[in-house]
């Protein structure tokens, strides 16, 4: 422990009380490794403030003693952005005690939630007033509003509602000098220059500590319809999306699934059944919703899929007859990563390219990876309508047993080069954190890196906010 850390810990204990300062290694231990278990860090203390004022006090102490802080929410991030460095040179700043939903209003369609509020808790609170926060993802039971905002998270409803960037109406945050930015008024229009709120979204804790967020709500879902369709190519899948979008605004989920991913799910995940009577090369899961109880969204989707079948856009389709069938269809999509893990090691790439180019990209990039690295299988699944897929590479039967260790890095660089050449992003949803920082530095245009560094230095000249993350 450095002298600065020891002094900060003592001062924090004195000013904030013992509850806000944890130094027992057993209590800290679960929080110093990233969710995927790939990066192991260390921290001599975990600071757990209970209010915005306490966060400001801690940040002021960190500046005074030159001690870096690593903000952390649910620690479910995919890029190890909330994992402290291994040398113990930073303190963890856990936001989980700040877990109050400060206000919720159906009239203003806004909720103000503190940074440590768990996403599922916000969903429940919104539901109670007949509203919905329209962003969800697999980690909803653990991830926090502060983490979601700091990573500009996406999920399965981005097609209709956008990422966190579209859903955040304002941010309250403690800036690196200990001052508090209050953007919670929820103004629809505010043109007083640079938007600090937008700057803090996706900043991964490098520009300040988010303490509360004003979030946009929409009316609760009155009914949903879930369908599964077989198509012969990703191009046809995108044709189907365009066909549906010109005829209805009800589609909010549209997920692409290749046949080999479906086969892995059927092989490894209990209680799963083929959704259609025959095998197709590609599949699409569609969810349509309505907040109008008079709108028969199931009948509408059925009719549209019938027309798509007549026009030979799709090969076959099935509409879930009830909620349990709808859940069974979603399970086929949601358990792809789990099924891949059961099959063997997988290299995951969360990438985006312009939507119109995605079908071609999936086919070409898979073929190029398989040609360049014989013995692997590459494929993409996920949010086709957002131009964002999980491009996964795994071993075919004839890959060398140590392919992952030997070739993993080269494969990732090869994939990232293909993505960059296609004008895409090597991180669509998950952020840069520490895991993608080297690749970001290698591939980002110099102007972008210059701007990031300049912003970081202007707001955090002492470098106390999550150093070693995001900014190359
Ligand atoms: C099963 C599973 C499914 C997932 N699915 C998706 C998905 O579909 N789409 C998607 O986008 N992500 C997905 N994720 C990733 C993850 O849930 C998101 O990145 C989430 O936003 C992280 O929230 P968290 O509270 O766990 O943040 P953490 O992991 O604790 O932190 C993430 C980053 O935010 C910073 N941070 C956290 N809180 C604050 C704060 N209050 N102020 C400033 N900085 C802060 C941290 O320093 C770190 O850089 C998934 C994760 C899992 C485990």
């Amino acid at each position: 422990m450095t002298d600065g850390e020891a002094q900060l810990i003592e001062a924090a204990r004195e000013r904030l009380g013992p509850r806000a300062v944890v130094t027992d290694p057993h209590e800290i231990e679960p929080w110093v490794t990233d969710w995927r278990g790939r990066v192991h860090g260390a921290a001599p203390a975990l600071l757990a403030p209970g209010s915005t004022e306490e966060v400001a006090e801690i940040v002021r102490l960190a500046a005074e003693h030159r001690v870096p802080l690593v903000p952390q929410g649910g620690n479910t991030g995919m890029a190890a952005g909330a994992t402290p460095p291994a040398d113990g040179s930073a303190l963890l700043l856990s936001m989980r005690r700040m877990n109050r939903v400060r206000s919720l209003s159906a009239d203003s369609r806004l909720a103000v939630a503190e940074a440590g509020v768990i996403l599922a808790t916000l969903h429940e609170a919104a539901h109670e007033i007949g509203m919905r926060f329209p962003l969800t993802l697999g980690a909803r039971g653990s991830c926090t509003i502060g983490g979601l905002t700091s990573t500009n998270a996406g999920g399965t409803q981005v097609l209709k509602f956008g990422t966190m960037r579209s859903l955040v109406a304002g941010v309250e945050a403690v800036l690196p000098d200990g001052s508090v930015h209050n953007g919670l008024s929820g103004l629809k229009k505010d043109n007083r220059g640079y938007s600090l709120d937008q700057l803090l979204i996706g900043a991964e804790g490098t520009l300040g500590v988010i303490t509360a967020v004003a979030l946009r709500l929409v009316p609760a879902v009155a009914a949903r319809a879930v369908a599964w369709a077989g198509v012969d190519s990703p191009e046809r899948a995108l044709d189907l999306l365009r066909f549906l979008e010109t005829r209805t605004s009800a589609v909010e989920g549209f997920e692409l699934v290749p046949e080999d991913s479906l086969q892995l799910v059927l092989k490894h995940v209990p209680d799963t059944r083929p959704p259609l009577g025959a095998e197709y090369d590609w599949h699409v899961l569609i969810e349509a919703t309505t907040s109008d109880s008079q709108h028969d969204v199931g009948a509408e989707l059925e009719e549209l899929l019938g027309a798509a079948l007549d026009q030979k856009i799709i090969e076959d389709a099935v509409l879930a007859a009830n909620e349990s069938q709808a859940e069974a269809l979603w399970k086929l999509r949601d358990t792809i990563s789990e099924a891949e893990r059961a099959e063997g090691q997988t290299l995951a790439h969360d990438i985006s390219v312009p939507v119109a180019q995605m079908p071609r990209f999936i086919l070409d990039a898979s073929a190029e990876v398989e040609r360049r690295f014989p013995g692997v299988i590459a494929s993409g699944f996920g949010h086709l309508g957002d131009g964002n897929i999980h491009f996964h590479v795994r071993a075919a039967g004839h890959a060398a047993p140590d392919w992952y260790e030997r070739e993993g890095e080269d494969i990732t660089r090869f994939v990232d080069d293909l993505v960059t050449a296609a004008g895409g992003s090597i991180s669509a949803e998950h952020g840069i954190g520490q895991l993608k920082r080297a690749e970001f530095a290698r591939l980002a245009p110099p102007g972008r890196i210059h701007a990031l560094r300049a912003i970081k230095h202007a707001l955090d000249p002492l470098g106390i906010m999550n150093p070693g993350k995001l900014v190359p």
Side-chain angles (χ1 to χ4, degrees):
M1 189 186 314
T2 63
D3 288 349
E5 284 174 333
Q7 286 158 9
L8 188 159
I9 290 167
E10 199 188 315
R13 216 174 245 138
E14 222 167 74
R15 292 181 207 179
L16 311 177
R19 227 182 136 195
V21 186
V22 177
T23 48
D24 177 352
H26 297 294
E27 281 186 58
I28 298 171
E29 212 262 336
W31 304 104
V32 293
T33 296
D34 78 305
W35 183 81
R36 280 174 161 166
R38 288 210 256 163
V39 184
H40 304 283
L46 179 150
L47 306 172
S51 67
T52 302
E53 294 70 34
E54 290 193 359
V55 175
E57 187 67 54
I58 289 170
V59 172
R60 281 194 291 269
L61 285 171
E64 183 186 333
H65 297 288
R66 306 285 198 270
V67 174
L69 299 171
V70 180
Q72 189 179 77
N75 196 26
T76 67
M78 295 291 203
T83 310
D87 62 4
S89 60
L91 303 185
L92 268 178
L93 179 60
S94 168
M95 298 302 291
R96 288 181 293 277
R97 269 186 68 213
M98 285 193 65
N99 59 4
R100 218 161 42 90
V101 177
R102 289 187 190 164
S103 64
L104 269 173
S105 161
D107 287 341
S108 64
R109 297 191 166 198
L110 282 179
V112 174
E114 289 184 342
V117 170
I118 303 285
L119 178 58
T121 307
L122 178 71
H123 285 159
E124 284 157 24
H127 190 72
E128 274 170 26
I129 62 159
M131 300 297 282
R132 161 163 87 126
F133 179 60
L135 181 142
T136 193
L137 41 82
R140 71 185 77 86
S142 321
C143 67
T144 64
I145 295 305
L148 291 161
T149 307
S150 299
T151 58
N152 184 25
T156 47
Q157 293 157 348
V158 172
L159 187 64
K160 188 163 178 182
F161 299 103
T163 61
M164 282 300 281
R165 210 174 273 292
S166 321
L167 294 169
V168 169
V171 169
E172 178 192 87
V174 176
L175 302 177
D177 65 352
S179 63
V180 177
H181 161 71
N182 186 342
L184 294 181
S185 53
L187 296 177
K188 227 171 175 168
K189 290 185 156 187
D190 178 11
N191 274 353
R192 289 174 288 174
Y194 308 138
S195 167
L196 259 182
D197 305 79
Q198 286 294 323
L199 208 52
L200 288 158
I201 300 170
E204 301 186 31
T206 61
L207 298 180
V209 186
I210 294 176
T211 47
V213 186
L215 298 152
R216 298 185 212 287
L217 303 177
V218 298
V221 171
R224 72 164 176 169
V226 176
W228 189 280
V231 289
D232 64 15
S233 67
E235 275 95 343
R236 286 324 236 169
L238 190 56
D239 289 345
L240 173 63
L241 177 62
R242 298 303 181 226
F243 176 87
L244 294 173
E245 279 179 337
T246 51
R247 288 160 180 82
T248 177
S249 55
V251 175
E252 70 170 56
F254 194 90
E255 297 287 307
L256 180 73
V257 178
E259 173 68 12
D260 72 310
S261 296
L262 176 63
Q263 287 306 327
L264 283 186
V265 169
L266 297 174
K267 180 175 165 191
H268 291 292
V269 182
D271 303 324
T272 52
R273 288 190 299 125
L276 301 170
E279 288 184 8
Y280 299 97
D281 287 348
W282 294 87
H283 304 258
V284 177
L285 173 67
I286 306 143
E287 173 156 323
T289 63
T290 180
S291 55
D292 174 1
S293 54
Q294 305 300 310
H295 177 185
D296 189 344
V297 72
E300 184 184 33
L301 187 58
E302 189 171 20
E303 195 185 320
L304 289 173
L305 289 174
L309 199 60
D310 290 345
Q311 294 187 27
K312 308 233 176 311
I313 299 171
I314 60 175
E315 305 296 311
D316 193 6
V318 62
L319 185 74
N322 51 45
E323 264 302 301
S324 72
Q325 285 184 12
E327 285 301 318
L329 292 180
W330 266 110
K331 187 173 176 182
L332 297 175
R333 157 66 183 91
D334 284 341
T335 53
I336 292 176
S337 295
E338 175 187 329
E340 283 179 342
R341 270 198 300 278
E343 183 75 3
Q345 280 172 307
T346 302
L347 266 177
H349 307 95
D350 160 48
I351 55 119
S352 67
V353 301
V355 177
Q357 291 173 35
M358 184 52 98
R360 203 56 270 149
F361 178 85
I362 294 174
L363 298 177
D364 291 351
S366 303
E368 285 192 50
V369 169
E370 289 173 10
R371 203 167 33 241
R372 171 74 180 73
F373 301 93
V376 304
I377 297 176
S379 66
F381 66 90
H383 323 304
L384 178 69
D386 307 332
N388 168 209
I389 52 149
H390 305 291
F391 189 84
H392 285 191
V393 181
R394 56 195 175 79
H398 56 292
D402 61 346
W403 73 277
Y404 188 92
E405 289 75 23
R406 222 162 25 93
E407 293 185 320
E409 225 166 273
D410 289 345
I411 295 174
T412 292
R413 286 165 74 94
F414 189 75
V415 171
D416 289 345
D417 285 342
L418 293 173
V419 171
T420 305
S425 165
I426 63 165
S427 180
E429 292 192 312
H430 294 162
I432 298 295
Q434 33 185 330
L435 293 180
K436 290 194 174 182
R437 197 157 157 254
E439 279 295 82
F440 185 44
R442 185 173 75 85
L443 295 166
R448 190 180 186 121
I449 294 192
H450 170 75
L452 249 75
R453 285 181 180 153
I455 293 167
K456 167 77 177 165
H457 186 71
L459 288 183
D460 181 22
L462 301 176
I464 55 165
M465 289 309 313
N466 214 3
K469 313 290 167 52
L470 173 61
V471 184

